[in-house]
């Protein structure tokens, strides 16, 4: 990409960056130590703040402008509606993070969300933590995913005379990839280099394997010995027959 093209792209981004400036200034100086806040590491576009208490922490050796971007438009199939945030617990960023348009991040007072370095979510995700959600490094989450660590409503076991478990921590391994419209339920743990096909329901106790694509109902392994290569995980040329089904 030459200098001229870079200037055009920058010009297109200026309006959104300006719109993000005031809420980003307020958000950074509300949550971060002064030495971090002055660098404006968190940019928030079109934010809808439901409640802002709790804490936001950046645990990274390198702090720079815009390393965390929340709400910016990236997915055409979802409205340019920014991001909705409710923070009562603790959110930890361990490096770069991008969460796109029409997304919701809800962290309850007992919740904790840890984003590993290079976390990316495109659009329409619903992330809800009342207990604990941990993402390893280089996790990619596609359109319309819901990741939630609680059922909210416990069921009573009449035979055992106690309530069944209704929440549990979610631990997502490094280099995981969730295609569009997946549902990740409480208590899930996945290994590294794990891929989930579109509309997969991921539940606790599943036998998930590295370098495999999982999907179907009931969930199973659809393909083995496959992996996501960062930087080569998006089709750029639809005339390239190597990617075509026909």
């Amino acid at each position: 990409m030459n200098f001229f093209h870079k200037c055009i792209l920058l010009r297109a981004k200026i309006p959104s960056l300006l719109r993000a400036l005031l809420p980003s200034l307020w958000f950074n100086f509300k949550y971060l130590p002064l030495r971090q806040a002055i660098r404006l590491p968190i940019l928030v576009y079109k934010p809808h703040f439901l409640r802002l208490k709790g804490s936001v922490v950046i645990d990274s050796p390198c702090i720079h402008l815009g390393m965390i971007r929340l709400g910016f438009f990236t997915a055409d199939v979802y409205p340019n509606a920014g991001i909705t945030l409710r923070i009562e617990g603790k959110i930890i960023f361990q490096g770069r993070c991008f969460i796109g348009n029409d997304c919701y991040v809800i962290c309850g007072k007992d919740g904790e969300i840890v984003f590993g370095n290079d976390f990316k979510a495109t659009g329409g995700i619903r992330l809800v933590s009342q207990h604990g959600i941990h993402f390893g490094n280089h996790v990619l989450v596609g359109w319309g995913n819901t990741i939630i660590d609680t059922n909210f409503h416990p069921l009573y076991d009449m035979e055992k005379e106690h309530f069944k478990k209704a929440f549990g921590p979610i631990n997502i391994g490094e280099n995981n990839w969730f295609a569009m419209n997946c549902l990740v339920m409480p208590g899930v743990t996945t290994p590294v280099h794990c891929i989930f096909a579109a509309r997969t329901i991921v539940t606790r106790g599943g036998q998930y394997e590295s370098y495999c694509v999982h999907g179907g109902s009931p969930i199973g392994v659809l393909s083995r010995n496959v992996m996501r290569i960062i930087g080569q995980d998006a089709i750029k040329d639809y005339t390239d027959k190597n990617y075509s089904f026909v």
Side-chain angles (χ1 to χ4, degrees), residues 14-239:
I14 285 175
S16 2
L17 291 173
L18 288 175
R19 181 162 184 171
L21 182 58
L22 287 180
S24 299
L25 281 167
W26 184 82
F27 191 87
N28 280 271
F29 282 92
K30 173 178 174 59
Y31 277 114
L32 301 179
L34 180 61
R35 67 182 183 278
Q36 292 183 346
I38 58 176
R39 297 175 182 267
L40 281 186
I42 304 174
L43 296 180
V44 188
Y45 180 67
K46 285 189 177 180
H48 305 276
F49 296 136
L50 300 181
R51 180 171 295 178
L52 294 182
K53 294 184 176 180
S55 61
V56 174
V57 175
I58 300 179
D59 181 15
S60 173
C62 181
I63 307 291
H64 59 84
L65 173 66
M67 62 184 286
I68 299 158
R69 299 190 175 211
L70 309 176
F72 285 86
F73 184 74
T74 184
D76 294 342
V77 296
Y78 288 92
N80 187 12
I83 188 166
T84 298
L85 294 170
R86 178 176 176 179
I87 304 173
E88 297 176 283
K90 187 174 186 179
I91 295 181
I92 302 173
F93 296 99
Q94 295 180 330
R96 290 177 291 118
C97 176
F98 181 90
I99 300 177
N101 51 300
D102 195 31
C103 292
Y104 290 73
V105 177
I106 310 297
C107 185
K109 64 181 180 63
D110 298 315
E112 180 178 271
I113 304 173
V114 180
F115 295 100
N117 185 37
D118 193 30
F119 176 89
K120 292 179 182 176
T122 52
I125 72 159
R126 276 54 177 153
L127 181 57
V128 181
S129 175
Q130 299 291 342
H131 183 61
I133 301 175
H134 186 285
F135 297 98
N137 296 333
H138 311 296
V139 171
L140 177 60
V141 180
W143 300 341
N145 275 246
T146 297
I147 302 172
I148 184 168
D149 64 13
T150 176
N151 294 334
F152 284 107
H153 310 288
L155 294 175
Y156 186 74
D157 190 318
M158 295 185 294
E159 292 184 357
K160 297 181 179 179
E161 297 184 337
H162 64 69
F163 283 97
K164 299 174 73 69
K165 295 180 180 179
F167 66 85
I170 294 174
N171 291 285
I172 304 301
E174 293 190 358
N175 291 285
N176 274 213
W177 188 358
F178 295 85
M180 62 181 181
N181 294 321
C182 291
L183 174 59
V184 182
M185 298 298 289
V188 164
T189 296
T190 65
V192 299
H193 289 282
C194 204
I195 302 172
F196 294 92
R199 295 187 178 275
T200 299
I201 300 176
V202 188
T203 58
R204 66 185 177 89
Q207 300 301 309
Y208 308 122
E209 303 177 32
S210 296
Y211 303 103
C212 291
V213 178
H214 304 78
S217 182
I219 191 170
V221 173
L222 303 179
S223 181
R224 284 190 165 86
N225 299 317
V226 291
M227 66 180 293
R228 167 195 174 207
I229 299 179
I230 298 173
Q232 300 179 45
D233 51 2
I235 299 172
K236 298 179 180 178
D237 182 4
Y238 280 88
T239 64

